[in-house]
Amino acid sequence: MKLIEVKDYQEMSKRAAEFIIAKVRAADAINLGLATGGTPVGTYEYMIEDHKQNYTSYRDVTTFNLDEYVGLSGSNPNSYRYYMDEKLFNHIDIVKLNTHIPNGDAADMEKECLRYENQIEQHGGIDLQVLGIGSNGHIGFNEPGTSFESSTHIVDLAPSTREANARYFDNLDEVPDKAVTMGIATILKSREILLLASGEKKRDALAKLFNGEVDERFPASILKNHPCVTIIADKAAIPEGVIARK
Ligand code: PGA
């Protein structure tokens, strides 16, 4: 894992956007894995700004999001489909049909999991997956204890995850208790991974990632076994004693 240290959230967002934009520009076509949550919002803002100023095109980009809440349709402002449309897709020249997010509102969610997993495979897999990290080490919605062999599946959200995400809802009761997420094996199949972390609240998670064993009780630890992981983290998120490249 390569760690790049940056000053703050703004710089993390800028570096992350530059990283992604360089890959988009270098490839004839690319499959991007995207994430939601608070962390990548600034990255998407820089990508939009660059699209407007430098005309980086997303016509040949296909995207696959990590996860979605179960029970929310894409028109619900708390769904990740809505988030992605609002925060990125509506502002760049991507073809909407090429943007894929698991359907949290499918009649048969088991079938939906299989469909999504197969869809990623049929498109040739993910070239670059963007990840955040939960304070409990989750990646996507893969909570502690999830099998490293897991493919796209339904999860019960951990109380800490529901509490962390309650800020987007009117109250905690409204946060869905289930989600559909790419599995850990799905994420690990990505050819390259970019993990973003900002702020003091992520420092313990990064300490466990760097200093701990590879263990299913801390899902992100599996990233140590992936050959091509870059972490962009700001000063506040980097634990003492971990040496980073500036
Ligand atoms: P956050 O979530 O970006 O909102 O901190 C990250 C995650 O839970 O993976």
Side-chain angles (χ1 to χ4, degrees), residues 35-40 66-67 131-136 138-141 161 164-165 167-168 196 198 201-202:
T36 50
T39 309
L66 283 167
D67 46 22
L131 289 182
I133 182 168
S135 49
N136 64 1
H138 75 203
I139 48 175
F141 270 138
T161 300
N165 290 358
R167 66 191 194 274
Y168 300 111
L196 307 177
S198 168
K201 61 183 190 305
K202 297 295 163 77

